[in-house]
Amino acid sequence: MLSFVTADTPADPNASSASSDRSRADGRDRRVTIGDVAARANVSKSAVSFVFNGRGGVGAAARQRILEAADELGWRPDARARALSRSRAQALGLVIRRDPELLSTDPFFPQFVAGVESGLAEVEYALVLQVVAGEQSERDAYVRFAHESRVDGVFLTDLTMHDERPAALSRLNLPCVLVGPAAWAEDDRHPIGLDDAAGIRRAVRHLYALGHRRMAHVAGSARYVHSEVRRRAWAEEMEAMGLEPGPIIDADFSGASGARATHELLDLSRPPTAIVYANDLMAIAGMSAATDRGIRVPHDLSIVGFDDIPLAPYIVPPLTTVRQDVFAWGRSCAQTLVALVEDRIPESVELPPVEFIVRGSTGPARHRPQG
């Protein structure tokens, strides 16, 4: 559940959150409590608490009795009361610093948020989401989160080169999980992420096998770590293939910037025969720009995207791209951050590898070189 969470009034941590939960065992209406569940399951209240807080130490048989007793009595722990009893907000924060127009066209965040929500639903945490326009607004949001105890930890996305936010959050005593390429590490901080570099390397090898030697890369904003990781992978793989790295143009992940970059590349005296884009939106816009100039894809120009957005298989021609499981990524980040907040050792994260999806937007180079 996306929300802004506040907790202003005390609550009984043993009470059920459903107002209709009643017991008539003593002849009077009253709320079912954790003690009622413990009595019916013939266990201690601590055992019930352990089960519903996801902690170990309760045997399988006792756990089953507890769950059955809670179900029969219609009881579940009150999330607000539980948060108060733990001195926690029972919420995690995500601050996105993007232009709202760009954010509305970026497929990453809806998928990532869906994965986070999936991971948090199991432990009854809420996600507090805030979209801000600038750097100062982002800093202010973290300060409010910390000083008003609105969240217990935050997700840091859009990691930048020499990012100062982790250190600032440490000073605010806010745990955080870095969301970024798995290959990136700085100051002993390791993001949770997928192997972006592998996808770009696969793209270069695929195009090389098709005979392409003049390849270009339309990168994302140079300030972002994932842009740099993809840029480096592209240049390194070109070198590994014995090729001079072709032109690189920085863009901002929007369709408009992808179209502009494509026109710039096609205006070169020796335009590329293939272009690798940092996301699908720029690739689709680039395909449209090329078509408007009478350039046929893939006959005259091969195009590769990155993300495998839902539209990718349905454009004409269908887009060759890199697929990454952003939903699983968000879910793993949520589970890790909850563990950090609750002073548990997070489980090791094993995300599915990226996949290279070959479709109709790539084909043999029109003038295949000899040798």
Side-chain angles (χ1 to χ4, degrees), residues 166-216:
L169 290 171
S170 178
R171 290 191 293 271
L172 291 169
N173 293 317
L174 267 181
C176 69
V177 160
L178 309 187
V179 182
W184 188 263
E186 188 178 68
D187 299 332
D188 297 324
R189 297 191 298 264
H190 297 271
I192 295 176
L194 299 162
D195 190 356
D196 289 29
I200 295 295
R201 294 180 192 281
R202 290 279 300 277
V204 173
R205 290 197 294 270
H206 169 71
L207 293 169
Y208 185 89
L210 291 172
H212 294 277
R213 300 297 183 264
R214 296 198 311 274
M215 306 179 213

Side-chain angles (χ1 to χ4, degrees), residues 312-331:
Y314 302 108
I315 62 173
V316 180
L319 183 63
T320 296
T321 187
V322 177
R323 176 185 296 165
Q324 49 185 357
D325 193 338
V326 178
F327 183 91
W329 190 357
R331 182 179 174 85

Side-chain angles (χ1 to χ4, degrees), residues 41 56 116 139 244 254 280 332 347:
V116 168
R139 285 198 295 264
E244 286 291 328
S254 70
D280 286 350
S332 293
E347 296 182 4

